[in-house]
Amino acid sequence: MSTTAEVMALLASGNARQQDAYHVLQSSGLLDILADYHPYPAGTVPIDIDIPGSDLDLLCYAEDLDVFEAEIHNRIGAVAEFQCVRGGDLPDQRPYMTCNLQVGHWPVEIFAQSVPVYRQNAYLHMIVEWRLLQLWGDAGHREIRRLKQAGWKTEPAFASVLGLQGDPYVDMLHLAEMKREDLWNWARSRTSF
């Protein structure tokens, strides 16, 4: 997965939930509304580990969060359950904005940061998770879904399967730095899938 068009093609030809997500994104016009911010469908739906209640995540690159917020409020602020929250108060974290809304039966989360999408943590997490799922196959998908249905967040679920003891969000970023072959060799030594 590398471009928005490729992810959308994956969703369009995927399982029933992925196809439904594709139709919701297309019919809502969200990708067009957010076009200037390079929207990228991310999270659990594209990599097929979503569970009922999972949201559709859209990552955006917004150099100026004030401009982004004003435009988003102007374009979709009237949508049911729409709200935006700012974050990034930690010293090692760039400011960001998260906007939540409901589109049909899907909760949608729009995440914007002044970091290109391909360098955002959520993108990097998704890519390493996708690589691990390609290694683990159906058994890995089932185990991650089982943990998520038990209430685990995605990154902690992966960290648990891998036996990682530190901060799962930081640990997954470190794994994202590994080449696919090195990641697979390392993961094979830690899992029984």
Side-chain angles (χ1 to χ4, degrees):
M1 288 183 277
S2 60
T3 68
T4 297
E6 289 170 336
V7 176
M8 290 299 288
L10 176 107
L11 293 175
S13 63
N15 64 36
R17 280 184 56 85
Q18 289 173 323
Q19 289 180 29
D20 188 49
Y22 169 83
H23 291 298
V24 165
L25 290 173
Q26 289 293 94
S27 65
S28 69
L30 277 175
L31 296 179
D32 292 331
I33 291 168
L34 297 168
D36 290 343
Y37 301 100
H38 314 284
Y40 189 93
T44 60
V45 176
I47 62 174
D48 191 23
I49 55 169
D50 59 298
I51 60 173
S54 291
D55 57 13
L56 292 175
D57 295 315
L58 291 173
L59 305 179
C60 293
Y61 172 46
E63 288 185 32
D64 186 326
L65 290 178
D66 292 330
V67 170
F68 177 82
E69 183 175 22
E71 184 171 345
I72 294 307
H73 272 286
N74 183 45
R75 307 250 347 238
I76 58 177
V79 172
E81 301 178 37
F82 178 81
Q83 67 176 29
C84 289
V85 176
R86 291 216 185 197
D89 299 333
L90 301 175
D92 61 339
Q93 190 177 51
R94 275 222 163 117
Y96 63 86
M97 175 169 291
T98 303
C99 298
N100 297 93
L101 63 148
Q102 190 74 27
V103 180
H105 59 275
W106 282 95
V108 176
E109 180 175 284
I110 301 167
F111 178 90
Q113 194 173 36
S114 64
V115 175
V117 167
Y118 302 107
R119 291 194 358 239
Q120 291 179 13
N121 291 352
Y123 174 83
L124 297 171
H125 286 161
M126 183 186 72
I127 294 304
V128 74
E129 291 158 5
W130 175 242
R131 288 178 179 163
L132 289 166
L133 290 167
Q134 288 176 316
L135 170 67
W136 295 339
D138 290 341
H141 278 83
R142 281 192 303 273
E143 180 61 13
I144 295 299
R145 274 197 208 97
R146 184 189 70 75
L147 290 170
K148 289 180 65 58
Q149 288 169 336
W152 292 65
K153 295 286 190 185
T154 304
E155 287 78 1
F158 275 88
S160 175
V161 168
L162 292 165
L164 300 175
Q165 301 298 317
D167 180 326
Y169 298 92
V170 173
D171 289 346
M172 293 302 286
L173 288 177
H174 292 306
L175 295 181
E177 295 171 358
M178 297 174 78
K179 292 180 181 175
R180 181 189 310 249
E181 183 179 323
D182 294 337
L183 174 68
W184 281 14
N185 288 333
W186 178 85
R188 278 188 192 104
S189 72
R190 301 184 68 92
T191 58
S192 59
F193 298 122

